[in-house]
């Protein structure tokens, strides 16, 4: 089934389910109103006729009302889940139709100084991140960004991500439930320093003292309830407990406030952990994630279930009536914080591991979704005999109807393709096509190509150099700094793939040509290969002087008078046609 057909089928399915569940909610709401009215009527009768049958009927009505309320809460959550699943499928359907407005652009991650992110539209409007990212946890987003900004050069890591994404791609409904659960239970950045803060109590005897005091109070209330003894004794004991609580209330509030956001974030991972627990996996990477979450010594499902109950207990502190009764009876707040201390001691060291593997699962689900959305894309293979070999490669950010594909290959290190061509003939787009697909390949994703073989390597680009008034940096100086950054990286890496677009634009044409020639000859001493696009046709002569290191490819145009035809196809050799004068005439500028 095609992706667009699948999403439309899911939209129809969840739309129908949403109508059904809303009808059910309306019936439950009506039943709650009738039950509540019946309870009021019974209270009226009890006031006037206090009989045991009426009392039993009243208790029964209360139990029915509680049942309906709990059922309604479950229905509400199910409704929110279905609404989120409907939103997810609508979002993906809109994405395939070319509407990206609801997707995160990731502009906050953009860094012009990064070796390739700014040049290759990794972040921002209509960026690779916007096409790829579907993460639902804060740490998952960070993990995916780190995979895109720090490309893996380990074939095993790349292959393991490919396998995991392939398996998840075959489970789109499970992936969508993971995304829906994450959206309904949002997480934030975790501050490990806060969680490592001091415990509420360091004394092991506190719990024993509490149990002794609680037992005395509870027994006193039980005796008072079934004997003629006055309840004033029990009341005094409860007030003493509340007085003890009042002495520590400031410390309790500060402790709760300090950990509240952290606890909510951790406990919100529970639905995601439960989904992974209930799913079996075949790929080694996903099995490793599952094993890390559910070890015999530290089971995240049990731990987070306990934490969720603790969090709910802490949230109940806002209900003054319940807090007054339960604290007066057995000092509930003290017990809850001691349970939290115990939980932190037992599971605190595992939190970092759990959040890390969950972030990996979250990032892999985004990759699986990207793969599902692009069934025509190919799975890259890692090869040894060629540095880069592609067939029918296209730009993954362009719509298919506008995407012209090309074949391109580089055999080994120290080979550089000189790319020439007229303005708007496709040079820069082709450079970005190679760069973006390399990012996808080395991060473990599918690529926009019929065939794609590569060797993992360090990627560096220089395409959008800008000056900086605040840093007192001219355009030409900024270009030099960028090239210096390239040399520094090349001195430290064993394999660097470069993509340079129009080197040294900030100086005169003669100086630009001489400088470019000298620099390209210089970098042959480093483990470098790649592409260099230029309007200086004289750079093409490098292929004559150093045929083992340079070769020429170009984008040609055909023009007849003022008519220009672009085919955006890559050809061997140096471009022979230019179009600047024709374009200036067409726009009435000359």
């Amino acid at each position: 089934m095609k992706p667009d057909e699948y999403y439309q089928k899911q939209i129809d399915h969840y739309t129908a389910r949403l109508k059904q569940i809303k009808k059910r909610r309306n019936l439950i709401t009506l039943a709650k109103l009738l039950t509540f009215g019946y309870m009021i009527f019974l209270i009226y009768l009890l006031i006037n006729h206090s009989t045991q049958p009426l009392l039993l009927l009243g208790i029964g009505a209360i139990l029915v009302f509680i049942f309906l309320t709990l059922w309604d809460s479950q229905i509400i959550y199910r409704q929110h889940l279905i609404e989120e699943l409907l939103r997810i499928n609508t979002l993906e359907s809109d994405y395939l139709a070319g509407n990206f407005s609801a997707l995160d652009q990731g502009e906050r991650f953009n860094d012009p100084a990064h070796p390739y992110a700014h040049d290759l539209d990794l972040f921002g409007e209509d960026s690779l991140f916007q096409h790829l990212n579907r993460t639902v946890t804060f740490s998952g987003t960070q993990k995916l960004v780190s995979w895109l900004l720090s490309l893996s050069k380990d074939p095993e890591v790349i292959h393991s991500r490919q396998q995991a994404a392939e398996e998840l791609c075959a489970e789109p409904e499970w992936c969508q439930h993971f995304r829906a659960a994450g959206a309904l239970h949002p997480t934030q950045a975790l501050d490990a320093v806060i969680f490592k803060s001091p415990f509420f109590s360091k004394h092991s005897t506190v719990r024993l003292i509490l149990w002794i005091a609680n037992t005395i109070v509870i027994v006193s209330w039980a005796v008072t309830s079934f004997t003629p003894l006055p309840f004033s004794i029990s009341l005094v004991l409860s007030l003493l407990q509340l007085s003890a609580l009042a002495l520590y209330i400031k410390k309790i509030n500060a402790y709760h406030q300090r950990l509240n956001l952290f606890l909510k974030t951790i406990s919100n991972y529970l639905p995601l952990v439960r989904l992974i627990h209930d799913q079996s996996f075949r790929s080694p990477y996903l099995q490793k994630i599952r094993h890390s979450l559910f070890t015999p010594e530290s089971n995240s499902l049990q731990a987070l279930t306990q934490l969720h109950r603790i969090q709910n207990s802490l949230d109940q502190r806002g209900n003054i009536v319940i807090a007054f009764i339960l604290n007066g009876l057995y000092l509930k707040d003290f017990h809850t914080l001691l349970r939290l201390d115990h939980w932190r001691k037992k599971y605190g060291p595992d939190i970092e591991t759990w959040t890390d593997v969950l972030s990996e699962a979250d990032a892999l689900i985004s990759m699986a979704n990207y793969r599902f959305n692009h069934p025509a894309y190919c799975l890259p293979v890692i090869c040894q005999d060629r540095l880069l070999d592609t067939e029918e490669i296209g730009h993954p950010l362009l719509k298919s109807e506008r995407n012209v594909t090309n074949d391109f290959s580089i055999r080994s290190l120290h080979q550089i393709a000189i790319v020439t061509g007229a303005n708007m003939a496709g040079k820069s787009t082709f450079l970005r096509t190679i760069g973006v697909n390399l990012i996808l390949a080395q991060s473990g994703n599918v690529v926009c190509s019929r065939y794609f073989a590569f060797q993992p390597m360090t990627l560096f680009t220089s395409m959008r150099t800008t000056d900086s008034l605040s840093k007192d940096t001219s355009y030409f100086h900024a270009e030099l700094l960028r090239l210096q950054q390239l040399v520094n990286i090349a001195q430290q890496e064993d394999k660097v793939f470069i993509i340079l677009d129009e080197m040294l634009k900030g100086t005169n044409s003669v100086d630009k040509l001489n400088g470019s020639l000298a620099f390209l000859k210089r970098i042959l001493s480093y483990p470098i290969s790649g592409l260099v696009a230029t309007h200086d046709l004289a750079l093409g002569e490098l292929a004559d002087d150093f045929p083992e290191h340079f070769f020429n490819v170009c984008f040609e145009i055909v023009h007849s008078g003022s008519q220009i035809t672009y085919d955006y196809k890559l050809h061997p050799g140096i471009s022979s046609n230019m179009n600047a004068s024709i374009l200036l005439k067409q726009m009435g500028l000359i």
Side-chain angles (χ1 to χ4, degrees):
M1 185 183 296
K2 294 180 179 179
D4 54 348
E5 295 174 351
Y6 173 82
Y7 293 132
Q8 189 56 54
K9 180 182 177 182
Q10 293 295 93
I11 289 170
D12 295 340
H13 170 69
Y14 289 123
T15 300
R17 283 193 62 188
L18 192 59
K19 289 181 180 178
Q20 292 175 350
I21 208 164
K22 285 183 176 179
K23 288 181 181 178
R24 190 177 302 172
R25 271 208 68 197
N26 290 337
L27 291 174
I28 293 174
T29 301
L30 178 61
K32 286 173 66 178
L33 289 173
L34 292 175
T35 304
F36 185 76
Y38 181 60
M39 288 167 55
I40 298 299
F41 177 66
L42 287 175
I43 290 173
Y44 171 76
L45 292 178
L46 279 169
I47 293 174
N48 294 279
H49 309 283
S50 181
T51 63
Q52 188 174 15
L54 287 176
L55 180 61
L56 294 175
L57 287 173
I59 293 173
I62 292 172
L63 293 175
V64 169
F65 187 81
I66 292 173
F67 169 77
L68 289 172
T69 301
L70 294 174
W71 189 16
D72 192 33
S73 298
Q74 293 178 354
I75 295 295
I76 289 173
Y77 179 78
R78 201 172 305 163
Q79 178 180 334
H80 290 164
L81 180 64
I82 292 172
E83 288 172 343
E84 185 59 33
L85 288 167
L86 180 60
R87 186 195 69 82
I88 287 171
N89 283 277
T90 303
L91 181 146
E92 297 300 338
S93 180
D94 290 345
Y95 166 76
L96 293 179
N99 180 6
F100 312 143
S101 58
L103 296 170
D104 182 11
Q105 297 180 8
E107 187 67 49
R108 60 196 178 279
F109 301 114
N110 202 12
D111 178 13
H114 188 268
Y116 55 81
H118 183 63
D119 289 336
L120 298 179
D121 302 306
L122 197 50
F123 305 106
E125 187 177 359
D126 197 16
S127 61
L128 180 60
F129 179 81
Q130 196 173 27
H131 284 248
L132 180 60
N133 175 58
R134 299 295 187 274
T135 54
V136 291
T137 64
F138 178 88
S139 58
T141 306
Q142 299 294 321
K143 181 67 68 176
L144 181 62
V145 168
S146 71
W147 287 354
L148 295 175
L149 291 178
S150 302
L151 299 177
S152 175
K153 291 184 286 184
D154 186 340
E156 291 186 6
V157 170
I158 296 170
H159 185 58
S160 67
R161 291 178 190 170
Q162 290 177 341
Q163 284 183 314
E166 180 182 20
E167 181 177 352
L168 292 172
C169 179
E171 301 287 345
E173 191 165 352
W174 183 87
C175 291
Q176 288 189 0
H177 274 82
F178 188 98
R179 291 169 59 186
L184 293 176
H185 302 86
T187 59
Q188 300 186 31
L190 295 177
D191 188 347
V193 175
I194 291 178
F195 200 71
K196 292 177 181 177
S197 61
F199 294 104
F200 179 73
S201 176
K202 299 179 181 179
H203 304 290
S204 57
T205 57
V206 170
R207 185 177 291 273
L208 177 62
I209 296 171
L210 277 177
W211 280 117
I212 293 173
N214 296 161
T215 301
I216 294 172
V217 173
I218 292 171
V219 169
S220 72
W221 277 109
V223 171
T224 301
S225 301
F226 295 100
T227 66
L229 291 175
F231 73 92
S232 56
I233 297 175
S234 302
L235 181 61
V236 169
L237 291 173
S238 290
L239 290 175
L240 287 173
Q241 285 199 146
L242 291 173
S243 299
L245 179 69
L247 294 175
Y248 289 90
I249 196 66
K250 187 175 180 180
K251 181 180 178 180
I252 291 172
N253 289 337
Y255 187 73
H256 183 199
Q257 185 177 3
R258 185 169 67 251
L259 291 175
N260 188 44
L261 183 59
F262 192 98
L263 294 175
K264 284 186 176 179
T265 292
I266 293 295
S267 61
N268 277 354
Y269 282 111
L270 177 60
L272 306 182
V273 168
R274 187 176 287 121
L275 281 166
I276 294 176
H277 179 269
D278 295 339
Q279 183 76 4
S280 59
F281 299 109
R282 299 184 309 276
S283 67
Y285 195 175
L286 293 174
Q287 287 180 342
K288 181 181 177 182
I289 287 174
R290 196 176 189 280
H291 178 73
S292 299
L293 291 171
F294 312 111
T295 64
E297 300 80 18
S298 179
N299 188 308
S300 61
L301 181 60
Q302 295 176 1
L304 294 180
T305 300
Q306 293 174 18
L307 183 63
H308 185 67
R309 291 170 182 160
I310 293 172
Q311 182 64 35
N312 286 338
S313 181
L314 288 171
D315 290 342
Q316 290 172 1
R317 296 183 68 236
N319 189 319
I320 296 178
V321 175
I322 293 178
F324 183 83
I325 294 173
L326 296 182
N327 279 304
L329 193 61
Y330 71 100
L331 287 174
K332 171 181 171 292
D333 284 359
F334 276 133
H335 283 287
T336 301
L337 295 181
L338 290 176
R339 282 167 57 204
L340 178 57
D341 279 354
H342 177 73
W343 192 96
R344 289 175 59 196
K345 291 173 185 175
K346 184 176 181 179
Y347 298 112
D350 300 312
I351 290 176
E352 187 175 352
T353 299
W354 294 342
T355 55
D356 189 55
V357 296
L358 282 170
S359 70
E360 292 175 342
D362 196 11
L364 289 169
I365 286 170
S366 281
M367 292 167 58
N369 185 80
Y370 185 77
R371 186 170 184 158
F372 184 84
N373 282 343
H374 301 282
Y377 286 12
C378 81
L379 186 67
V381 295
I382 298 174
C383 63
Q384 300 297 327
D385 56 333
R386 283 180 177 266
L387 197 70
L388 179 65
D389 190 12
T390 73
E391 295 177 10
E392 298 182 20
I393 188 171
H395 200 305
L397 306 187
L398 292 178
K399 293 182 179 179
S400 57
E401 59 270 18
R402 295 172 48 207
N403 212 345
V404 178
T405 62
N406 286 285
D407 298 345
F408 180 76
S409 65
I410 290 182
R411 292 192 305 273
S412 61
L413 282 174
H414 306 294
Q415 274 201 325
I416 297 175
I418 304 297
V419 186
T420 54
N423 297 293
M424 302 187 298
K427 299 190 304 299
S428 296
T429 298
F430 176 70
L431 265 57
R432 290 190 174 89
T433 296
I434 298 298
V436 174
N437 279 296
L438 273 172
I439 293 174
L440 285 170
Q442 286 192 226
S443 57
N445 289 281
V446 291
V447 298
C448 182
S449 185
R450 191 181 73 82
Y451 174 76
F452 192 100
F454 74 107
Q455 294 180 22
M457 46 198 163
T458 300
L459 178 62
F460 184 90
T461 66
S462 181
M463 304 175 69
R464 287 175 174 161
T465 307
T466 58
D467 55 2
S468 175
L469 293 177
S470 63
K471 296 181 179 179
D472 194 25
T473 303
S474 69
Y475 185 87
F476 184 68
H477 187 219
E479 286 188 292
L480 295 180
L481 291 175
R482 188 70 177 176
L483 295 178
Q484 185 182 53
Q485 184 182 1
L486 165 59
V487 171
N488 292 338
I489 290 175
Q491 290 173 339
Q492 301 172 23
E493 302 291 340
D494 59 356
K495 202 178 298 182
V496 181
F497 193 90
I498 63 170
I499 300 177
L500 309 181
D501 192 4
E502 207 61 53
M503 296 166 53
L504 306 178
K505 295 186 288 289
T507 187
N508 66 77
S509 57
V510 175
D511 202 24
K512 171 187 173 184
L513 175 59
N514 292 333
S516 298
L517 286 168
F519 182 76
L520 291 176
K521 293 175 185 177
R522 158 82 189 285
I523 62 174
L524 290 177
S525 60
Y526 299 113
I528 283 177
S529 65
L531 303 97
V532 176
T534 181
H535 285 102
D536 288 323
L537 302 185
L539 282 183
E541 297 175 3
L542 286 167
D544 298 326
D545 299 333
F546 306 93
E548 70 277 20
H549 296 305
F550 297 95
F551 64 98
N552 292 305
V553 292
C554 67
F555 289 90
E556 286 288 18
I557 63 168
V558 177
H559 62 88
S560 177
S562 60
Q563 289 296 112
I564 303 176
T565 302
Y566 303 90
D567 66 0
Y568 304 111
K569 299 298 290 186
L570 193 65
H571 303 276
I574 302 174
S575 175
S576 58
N577 295 311
M578 295 296 159
N579 60 357
S581 298
I582 299 172
L583 293 173
L584 287 168
K585 287 179 181 178
Q586 285 182 348
M587 298 183 67
L589 298 174
I590 59 174

